[in-house]
Amino acid sequence: MTSPDEQPTLAVSTVIFTLQPNDSATPELRIPLVKRIRNPFANQWALPGGPLAASEDLADSASRTLRETTGLEPRYLEQLYAFGDPARSPGERVVSIVYWALVAGDEAAQVFDSENVAWFRADDLPQLAFDHNLIVDYALWRLRTKLEYSRIAHGFLGDTFTLAALREVYEVILQRPIDAGNFRRTMEASGVIVPTGERLTGTRHRPPQLYRYNAEPESQGEFDLGPRSRPMLTVKETA
Amino acid sequence: MTSPDEQPTLAVSTVIFTLQPNDSATPELRIPLVKRIRNPFANQWALPGGPLAASEDLADSASRTLRETTGLEPRYLEQLYAFGDPARSPGERVVSIVYWALVAGDEAAQVFDSENVAWFRADDLPQLAFDHNLIVDYALWRLRTKLEYSRIAHGFLGDTFTLAALREVYEVILQRPIDAGNFRRTMEASGVIVPTGERLTGTRHRPPQLYRYNAEPESQGEFDLGPRSRPMLTVKETA
């Protein structure tokens, strides 16, 4: 038993993924990190987060962190895991309940780095504070796994998108090239995306079709969203 | 921010599944519950658990609870979810990190009900304390989902088992009959179970073959075990 003054501190942190173009306009999977201003791990980068407020729900705390760090609302938010190794925080027992979130690339592109917040490539991080490298690795694994059997890619895109943009999300996250023809056939056969009837505006001779996700989240199948009575899925549905 | 004296209390609880024969020897999926002796919810049944000890890992706390409640070691143990609704515990903020576990039926059958611990059918529970009905429902859903794409059934069985016993696990948990021939073909083709070369001892003319799970847990595929560096899987491997 823990005596009251030995109660572990409870924190909520969030791994926030987005796709942002690099200098050559290729999207990269990135996460925002916050530079710590005090010990332990002063001046090291860490996941955004903090103590749980007294009357705040866990998911609300994760959303607040995301908003305060990036100015954005999550397109997708899900509980990842509770990390409680007694040695993960020197000098104090901290149990961190971690969420992972997706924000749309076009929204995230408008958010600039500040002195204490910067976006890093998810697969090329410095040594982070606490066990945060382990946490990001696990979140990356969860993201890649879910991409293959769910409509999670939606969280990176606007309400409408081209097949090429959708395929690019898969290629960047899974880190392998995907055949365009196979991808088109698989996606169209799945019924998960539907053509909007509109085309990308621009200067091209034959602009590509725009698609949207259909509005039946149940068709995503056996997709673990957390306890059913309070789904953590906050993907915005198109009209 | 939470001031130090408003820190939420952190608890670890465990949903412990087993298969136990009922009066007609048909296995039923059951969980042990503990009768609460103090408020809130005095005299109501609740999941076993308690405060996190100061230097105890989360999974170790769940194992300890399981041992103290049932006298058993888990065959399988996995983090389920952190439940933190501010209204879930009257008068005090409690965040519960919940694990789910499997114990083998033959071991659990030796554990008798005591005054304050009883085994209940998982799909026919009374009104439990806190949000524990919601928690059990979610654990049931996770169990059923994992049964279909992993070797989780192992956790209910001894080291060796007949195909009929394995199929019975699937039938009881999924609550539907499964064709014996199809099941045999699917299981044998999967390579996940292998014949031991031995047969069930007993009085039958042609006793059925015994199988065991093969010893390559990696072959279970994209099976979310928690962070990779510290798998929560504690299934005992056969020699």
Side-chain angles (χ1 to χ4, degrees):
Chain A
M1 291 295 195
T2 308
S3 72
D5 58 358
E6 286 174 335
Q7 270 287 313
T9 298
L10 191 60
V12 177
S13 296
T14 309
V15 183
I16 303 163
F17 291 112
T18 195
L19 291 181
Q20 291 177 353
N22 66 11
D23 293 342
S24 58
T26 312
E28 290 177 341
L29 186 64
R30 293 193 190 165
I31 63 171
L33 297 172
V34 178
K35 188 177 271 184
R36 288 180 60 79
I37 53 175
R38 59 175 75 89
N39 275 316
F41 302 106
N43 295 315
Q44 279 191 257
W45 296 97
L47 292 169
L52 180 67
S55 61
E56 192 174 43
D57 188 72
L58 299 174
D60 293 342
S61 177
S63 285
R64 176 175 54 80
T65 288
L66 194 148
R67 211 159 41 234
E68 289 170 358
T69 310
T70 67
L72 301 176
E73 295 293 328
R75 301 275 315 211
Y76 180 82
L77 181 68
E78 184 194 312
Q79 195 182 101
L80 178 68
Y81 205 76
F83 292 80
D85 186 329
R88 62 188 293 274
S89 180
E92 184 192 23
R93 180 79 192 271
V94 181
V95 173
S96 288
I97 297 173
V98 179
Y99 281 74
W100 66 291
L102 308 184
V103 296
D106 52 349
E107 294 168 4
Q110 299 160 28
V111 180
F112 298 106
D113 293 356
S114 72
E115 190 183 351
N116 291 314
V117 178
W119 293 79
F120 290 78
R121 277 185 57 172
D123 60 357
D124 185 23
L125 296 177
Q127 182 68 45
L128 306 183
F130 308 105
D131 52 359
H132 288 187
N133 289 91
L134 166 69
I135 292 176
V136 175
D137 283 349
Y138 183 52
L140 262 174
W141 183 81
R142 180 83 68 91
L143 167 62
R144 288 178 178 138
T145 305
K146 287 221 156 167
L147 188 71
E148 307 222 47
Y149 68 90
S150 78
R151 55 171 68 198
I152 194 86
H154 194 186
F156 289 109
L157 297 162
D159 287 341
T160 63
F161 45 84
T162 64
L163 270 177
L166 183 61
R167 184 165 56 86
E168 194 169 54
V169 170
Y170 278 72
E171 288 187 330
V172 170
I173 294 172
L174 300 179
Q175 297 182 303
R176 57 178 166 81
I178 293 172
D179 179 78
N182 280 342
F183 186 77
R184 173 186 295 271
R185 281 186 293 274
T186 304
M187 278 293 153
E188 288 183 341
S190 74
V192 168
I193 60 169
V194 289
T196 62
E198 293 172 1
R199 290 179 178 274
L200 194 66
T201 52
T203 56
R204 289 169 62 173
H205 170 59
R206 196 163 180 278
Q209 274 209 328
L210 286 170
Y211 289 77
R212 60 173 174 80
Y213 275 88
N214 70 29
E216 293 154 30
E218 287 310 311
S219 67
Q220 64 200 342
E222 295 290 352
F223 180 26
D224 193 345
L225 297 176
R228 280 305 171 90
S229 66
R230 190 163 192 281
M232 296 291 115
L233 186 75
T234 60
V235 169
K236 297 177 212 161
E237 292 301 336
T238 52
Chain B
M1 292 294 195
T2 308
S3 72
D5 57 356
E6 285 175 338
Q7 269 288 312
T9 298
L10 191 60
V12 177
S13 296
T14 309
V15 183
I16 304 164
F17 291 113
T18 196
L19 292 180
Q20 291 177 351
N22 67 10
D23 293 342
S24 58
T26 311
E28 289 178 343
L29 186 65
R30 292 193 190 164
I31 62 171
L33 297 171
V34 178
K35 188 177 272 182
R36 288 182 59 81
I37 53 176
R38 61 175 73 88
N39 274 317
F41 301 107
N43 295 314
Q44 277 190 260
W45 296 97
L47 291 170
L52 180 66
S55 60
E56 192 174 44
D57 187 73
L58 299 174
D60 294 341
S61 177
S63 285
R64 175 175 56 80
T65 288
L66 194 149
R67 212 159 40 234
E68 289 171 357
T69 309
T70 67
L72 301 175
E73 296 293 328
R75 301 275 315 213
Y76 180 82
L77 181 69
E78 183 193 315
Q79 195 181 101
L80 178 68
Y81 205 77
F83 293 81
D85 187 329
R88 63 188 293 274
S89 180
E92 184 193 22
R93 180 79 192 272
V94 181
V95 173
S96 288
I97 297 174
V98 179
Y99 281 74
W100 65 292
L102 307 183
V103 296
D106 52 350
E107 294 168 4
Q110 298 159 29
V111 180
F112 298 104
D113 293 356
S114 72
E115 190 183 351
N116 290 315
V117 179
W119 293 79
F120 290 78
R121 277 186 54 172
D123 60 358
D124 185 24
L125 296 176
Q127 181 68 44
L128 305 183
F130 308 104
D131 50 0
H132 288 188
N133 290 91
L134 165 69
I135 292 175
V136 175
D137 283 349
Y138 183 51
L140 263 173
W141 182 82
R142 180 84 68 93
L143 168 63
R144 287 177 178 139
T145 304
K146 287 221 156 167
L147 189 71
E148 307 221 51
Y149 69 91
S150 78
R151 55 172 66 197
I152 193 86
H154 193 188
F156 289 110
L157 297 163
D159 287 339
T160 64
F161 45 83
T162 64
L163 271 177
L166 183 61
R167 183 165 55 87
E168 194 169 54
V169 170
Y170 278 73
E171 288 187 331
V172 169
I173 293 172
L174 299 178
Q175 298 183 304
R176 57 178 165 82
I178 293 172
D179 179 78
N182 279 343
F183 186 77
R184 173 186 297 271
R185 282 186 293 275
T186 303
M187 278 293 154
E188 288 183 341
S190 74
V192 168
I193 60 169
V194 288
T196 62
E198 293 171 1
R199 288 178 180 274
L200 193 67
T201 52
T203 55
R204 290 169 62 175
H205 169 60
R206 196 163 180 280
Q209 275 209 328
L210 286 171
Y211 289 78
R212 60 174 176 79
Y213 275 88
N214 69 29
E216 292 154 29
E218 287 311 310
S219 68
Q220 64 200 344
E222 294 290 353
F223 180 25
D224 193 347
L225 297 177
R228 280 305 172 88
S229 66
R230 192 164 192 280
M232 296 291 115
L233 186 74
T234 60
V235 168
K236 297 175 209 161
E237 292 301 336
T238 54

